[in-house]
Amino acid sequence: IETMQVRYLMKSRNREKMTIAMFGQKNCDRSGGVEVVVTELSTRMTAMGHNVTCYNRSCHHVCGKKYDEPKISEYKGVHEKYVPTISWKGLSAVSSSFFASLACAFGKYDIVHIHAEGPAAMCWLPKLFGKRVIVTIHGLDHQRAKWGKKASKYIMMGEKSAVKYADEIIVLSKHIQQYFFNTYRRQTRFIPNGVNAPIWKEAVEIKERFGLDQNSYILFLGRIVPEKGIQYLIDAFRNIRTNKKLVIAGGSSDTRAFADKMKEAARSDSRILFTGFVQGRILEELYSNAYLYTLPSDLEGMPLSLLEAMSYGNCCLTSDIDECASVVGDKAILFHRGDTDDLREKLQMLCDHPEIVKKYKGEAEKYILDNYNWSDVVDRTIQLYRGQYDGSNSAVCK
């Protein structure tokens, strides 16, 4: 295997275009952060002339059947293939990753790029067949509250498999990079996510569907799962004085019972609105017209919704976990993770002082677009594929 890898690297340095396979995502869409990353990487790499195939799950949309879209064989030049998937909590990722890894092992690919810890449990298989294997750790998934003991154990197996078999591991935060070094003495590459320039939209559809005007609401956007801290947000918001609404936009992911519990907790406050999963124009309108964006997470990899909210020039209020704090710098407001009282005080202060909100709105967009660029992310990833990445943006842990 090592001889095959050396031969590949020697050839790839002289080969302009590569054949790349990706799996670990559900689909190429906006159903989650992993899906956004895979979509951005695959379409941009295809535009550069590389041949990219994405192995997607064949089950229903994670937010429900009503969001299913016709399966396509190609998206912006990217080959879309669908592998057998067992539609059962905890088994979707396991089954789809197994069949995707088989296809990658026997396919004619230069690179197999696996996304997330659980799917990485199968990274040994394409490696056995001489493929160059890259794994992106989008977050420490075994810590997510939605997984039981068996699922967490499997995800940990994926983490260890990546450490043992992956040629390179990409991480999205310095905190996770330090975790891998402290735990396994494994060096990783820090390549953060990017963000696109915003498409500004007036409040048209959100006014018709939800009665929302510009600056009339506080926005949370993400999956309705425990680690996002929605329980703190609802408790804090119910105890502040404001006529603004709290808009919670996103679908559940194997956590319908939790989502139902959150809706029940919010039932007594008519200012709280759940929109369900959003995409397209409605998503753009929500970002464009929010008074404030908030992300009270306990756990993140690198929150794309936070990058996107800031790219739209939003004032952001987020928990002080490293994965959020390191993204926003001094261009957003932090509260202590899990501290409902601190969150409530910060929300009240921002509702009472629109001049502070205006100040942060004026600084957010330029800062985030200057520091997080998808073209730069793709260039560094391609260098890593070729074994030519110098690590200039990837600190070495000691």
Side-chain angles (χ1 to χ4, degrees), residues 63-265:
C63 295
K65 294 180 182 179
K66 66 180 180 180
Y67 297 106
D68 283 352
E69 295 183 355
K71 291 180 171 56
I72 56 176
S73 60
E74 185 177 300
Y75 175 71
K76 294 185 178 181
V78 179
H79 305 294
E80 302 285 330
K81 297 188 177 182
Y82 299 85
V83 295
T85 306
I86 300 173
S87 299
W88 194 267
K89 181 178 179 180
L91 293 180
S92 295
V94 175
S95 56
S96 61
S97 298
F98 171 73
F99 289 108
S101 66
L102 278 176
C104 292
F106 289 100
K108 295 182 179 180
Y109 299 111
D110 301 314
I111 299 293
V112 176
H113 191 160
I114 304 171
H115 294 265
E117 287 189 327
M122 297 305 302
C123 70
W124 61 271
L125 187 53
K127 180 67 180 291
L128 183 65
F129 282 76
K131 305 299 192 292
R132 181 165 168 80
V133 176
I134 311 297
V135 173
T136 293
I137 303 297
H138 291 258
L140 301 178
D141 293 337
H142 61 273
Q143 297 179 359
R144 299 190 186 279
K146 69 176 182 177
W147 300 122
K149 290 183 178 180
K150 289 183 179 179
S152 295
K153 187 175 181 179
Y154 180 80
I155 292 170
M156 279 298 298
M157 185 171 74
E159 181 176 294
K160 293 175 181 178
S161 182
V163 168
K164 185 174 182 179
Y165 296 109
D167 293 283
E168 295 282 2
I169 298 175
I170 298 171
V171 295
L172 306 181
S173 75
K174 296 294 182 69
H175 171 72
I176 294 179
Q177 186 176 49
Q178 193 67 53
Y179 165 83
F180 271 87
F181 185 78
N182 291 345
T183 306
Y184 304 106
R185 287 297 184 265
R186 172 70 195 247
Q187 294 290 353
T188 58
R189 307 288 191 170
F190 169 57
I191 304 179
N193 290 329
V195 68
N196 292 312
I199 302 174
W200 297 88
K201 301 289 184 182
E202 293 183 4
V204 177
E205 290 192 26
I206 62 172
K207 183 175 179 62
E208 293 176 357
R209 289 186 57 177
F210 308 118
L212 300 174
D213 295 306
Q214 186 178 36
N215 289 327
S216 69
Y217 59 94
I218 295 166
L219 176 65
F220 165 88
L221 191 142
R223 289 173 295 112
I224 312 301
V225 292
E227 61 267 17
K228 291 291 185 180
I230 302 167
Q231 59 273 34
Y232 315 134
L233 179 58
I234 290 174
D235 285 347
F237 182 81
R238 289 170 59 187
N239 290 289
I240 67 170
R241 302 176 305 280
T242 182
N243 59 3
K244 299 188 185 302
K245 293 183 178 180
L246 171 62
V247 175
I248 299 177
S252 60
S253 176
D254 295 316
T255 56
R256 185 166 298 174
F258 176 77
D260 290 342
K261 182 179 178 181
M262 292 299 97
K263 291 175 183 178
E264 182 62 32

Side-chain angles (χ1 to χ4, degrees), residues 4 20 73 80 93 107 110 157 178 181 232 236 249 281 295 297 307 317 320 341 348 386:
M4 294 172 70
I20 303 159
S73 60
E80 302 285 330
D110 301 314
M157 185 171 74
Q178 193 67 53
F181 185 78
Y232 315 134
R281 170 149 190 142
L295 186 66
S297 297
L307 269 68
L317 170 62
D320 60 359
D341 289 337
Q348 189 68 67
R386 297 186 187 279

Side-chain angles (χ1 to χ4, degrees), residues 25-55:
Q25 74 283 354
K26 301 174 186 72
N27 283 288
C28 285
D29 58 16
R30 290 196 57 92
S31 59
V34 174
E35 288 69 36
V36 173
V37 172
V38 170
T39 300
E40 292 289 345
L41 291 180
S42 62
T43 55
R44 289 169 182 271
M45 289 176 182
T46 298
M48 295 168 68
H50 301 290
N51 190 321
V52 185
T53 300
C54 288
Y55 286 93

